[in-house]
């Protein structure tokens, strides 16, 4: 150990002489010296020396600068996960034979939000309609990445939460109060449920704890086109209020029931503090079958898929996720991608 440190120190001193610098005085210079050491193939011996740690700090700092634009304008909590998460992923501990390679920049820490995050410049800007929130059906990217969203909340199978948590699957949930609280008859399309309303808001707290953003899908699931502005506003603001009260989080996305909306919906969504109205490009049927809303009937980069909290969701979900991966698509972190569509502006 001391011999190793001695080699490092000797190399550093040589580097210091050659480079005309004060040894150990400034971290940046020490890092430069250590890079010299690495070139001389000594670096893998200096794991225990503080020099190696400084190299890592310098490398991570450079990576953070590169990634800063992805996360800088996030604002709301929990989405600016790029640089912070990457730094922990870049310290393998134990066997650090070289400085962190670039590929470590995409390594996720085990406890951060799951899902692929956009690369710099990957995502195009999404145009807002005047001052109203933009209506988004898909994310403008060429990368093979798709996004999973799940609506309503009738069926509350704890196995599904466990699956999302254990497999680190990125999803976004749009909670509808009457479904979550099991008021009225559940969605007949779901068939007889085993866990209808079983966990109420506690179920959504578990999802929240598994890094699932809980977003706004109204109180009672009306066709908003049939309602005036005031009634729409009551449905939308009421949903945000109850989510905030029950979960302590503030929704930023709104999904109109049935995908039906008009200008009053956009005004109400804006007045209730929501940033985007989110639609979808394909729905997922029982059995994990994808029903496309586009003529070419295949997954496309940036697609947003819509599922429902239905019986057998855990099983169907497994089929779906495996299918998506077999087709060479990643699952994206929707919030990080949406942030990128606005920072592109
Ligand atoms: Zn719905």
């Amino acid at each position: 150990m001391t011999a190793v440190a001695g080699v490092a120190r000797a190399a550093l001193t040589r580097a210091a002489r050659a480079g005309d610098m004060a040894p150990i005085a400034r971290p940046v210079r020490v890092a430069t010296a250590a890079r010299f050491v690495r070139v001389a193939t000594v670096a893998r011996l200096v794991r225990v020396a503080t020099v190696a740690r400084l190299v890592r700090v310098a490398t991570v700092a450079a990576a953070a600068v590169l990634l800063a634009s992805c996360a800088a304008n996030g604002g709301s909590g929990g989405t600016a996960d790029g640089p912070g998460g990457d730094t922990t992923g870049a310290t393998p501990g134990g066997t650090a034979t070289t400085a962190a390679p670039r590929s470590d920049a995409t390594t996720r820490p085990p406890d951060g939000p799951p899902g692929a995050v956009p690369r710099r410049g990957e995502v195009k800007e999404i145009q807002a309609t005047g001052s109203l929130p933009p209506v988004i059906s898909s994310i403008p990217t060429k990368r093979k990445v798709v996004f999973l969203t799940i609506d309503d909340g009738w069926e509350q199978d704890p196995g599904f939460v466990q699956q999302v948590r254990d497999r680190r699957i990125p999803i976004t949930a749009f909670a509808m109060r009457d479904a979550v609280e099991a008021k009225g008859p559940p969605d007949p399309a779901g068939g007889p449920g085993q866990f209808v309303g079983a966990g109420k808001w506690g179920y959504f707290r578990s999802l929240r704890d598994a890094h699932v953003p809980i977003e706004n899908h109204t109180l009672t699931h009306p066709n908003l086109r049939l309602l005036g502005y005031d009634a729409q506003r009551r449905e939308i603001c009421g949903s945000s209020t109850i989510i905030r009260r029950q979960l302590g989080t503030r929704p930023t996305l709104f999904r109109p029931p049935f995908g039906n909306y008009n200008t009053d919906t956009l005004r109400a969504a804006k007045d209730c503090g929501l940033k985007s109205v989110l639609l979808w490009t394909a729905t997922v049927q029982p059995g994990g079958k994808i029903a496309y809303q586009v003529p070419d009937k295949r997954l496309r980069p940036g697609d947003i898929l819509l599922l429902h909290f239905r019986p057998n969701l855990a099983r169907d979900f497994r089929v779906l996720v495996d299918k998506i991966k077999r087709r060479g698509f990643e699952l994206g972190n929707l919030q990080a991608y949406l942030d990128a569509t606005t920072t592109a502006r």
Side-chain angles (χ1 to χ4, degrees):
M1 208 103 128
T2 46
V4 170
V7 170
R9 211 174 299 122
L12 252 185
T13 311
R14 272 203 312 278
R17 268 195 224 111
D20 184 32
M21 66 181 73
I24 316 291
R26 295 196 181 92
V28 175
R29 293 211 158 177
V30 174
T32 313
R35 208 166 290 133
F36 173 83
V37 172
R38 198 173 63 236
V39 169
T41 70
V42 188
R44 59 199 171 85
L45 301 174
V46 297
R47 176 161 57 84
V48 290
T50 51
V51 179
R53 205 166 302 135
L54 285 166
V55 172
R56 232 160 32 218
V57 168
T59 312
V60 165
V65 169
L66 279 173
L67 289 163
S69 62
C70 295
N73 296 336
S76 59
T79 56
D81 48 88
D86 297 329
T87 56
T88 31
T91 51
T95 53
T97 54
T98 60
R102 184 140 322 246
S103 62
D104 276 1
T106 55
T107 304
R108 310 299 314 160
D111 58 347
V117 295
R119 302 182 182 110
R120 194 174 181 208
E122 177 194 326
V123 180
K124 285 203 210 111
E125 171 188 347
I126 289 179
Q127 296 283 347
T129 43
S131 66
L132 297 175
V135 179
I136 298 170
S137 299
S138 65
I139 298 292
T141 176
K142 293 192 169 76
R143 181 174 173 179
K144 289 182 80 174
V145 60
V146 296
F147 304 89
L148 301 178
T149 63
I150 311 192
D151 282 12
D152 300 342
W154 293 107
E155 182 75 0
Q156 303 183 352
D157 177 1
F160 177 70
V161 182
Q162 195 180 340
Q163 185 184 1
V164 166
R165 191 194 303 118
D166 294 352
R167 293 187 68 184
R168 291 185 50 71
I169 300 170
I171 63 171
T172 301
F174 289 86
M176 192 268 282
R177 182 199 60 190
D178 283 2
V180 176
E181 298 182 358
K183 286 182 181 166
D187 176 5
Q194 218 186 322
F195 300 103
V196 176
K200 302 281 189 292
W201 287 102
Y203 186 75
F204 280 79
R205 276 191 283 276
S206 306
L207 284 169
R208 174 204 65 194
D209 293 345
H211 298 292
V212 178
I214 311 298
E215 304 292 354
N216 187 322
H217 192 45
T218 74
L219 294 170
T220 68
H221 214 271
N223 178 353
L224 292 172
R225 282 199 207 134
L226 303 178
L227 303 180
Y229 168 82
D230 289 339
Q232 292 202 37
R233 188 190 156 108
R234 275 195 296 279
E235 283 280 347
I236 299 171
C237 283
S239 171
S240 283
T241 300
I242 201 165
I243 288 171
R244 206 159 55 240
R245 195 164 64 228
Q246 293 287 345
L247 309 177
T249 58
R250 184 184 292 268
T252 59
L253 308 178
F254 176 62
R255 172 164 283 162
F258 318 106
N260 288 344
Y261 68 96
N262 57 21
T263 309
D264 282 341
T265 314
L266 303 184
R267 283 176 52 220
K270 182 188 177 192
D271 295 345
C272 298
L274 296 156
K275 306 295 180 211
S276 306
V277 172
L278 211 80
L279 302 180
W280 60 90
T281 40
T283 56
V284 180
Q285 305 301 318
K289 185 174 161 38
I290 303 172
Y292 300 96
Q293 299 194 325
V294 289
D296 56 356
K297 306 282 180 207
R298 61 185 173 87
L299 277 182
R300 297 168 308 172
D303 271 350
I304 296 171
L305 306 187
L306 164 64
L307 294 89
H308 290 89
F309 287 95
R310 281 189 174 137
N312 301 316
L313 178 60
R315 187 197 63 198
D316 293 353
F317 204 69
R318 198 170 290 117
V319 171
L320 173 71
V321 169
D322 290 347
K323 189 185 293 180
I324 289 170
K325 291 191 172 169
R326 261 202 321 277
R327 292 181 187 179
F329 281 82
E330 295 175 89
L331 295 173
N333 183 298
L334 181 60
Q335 192 57 60
Y337 268 83
L338 286 171
D339 286 348
T341 65
T342 53
T343 54
R345 283 174 201 178

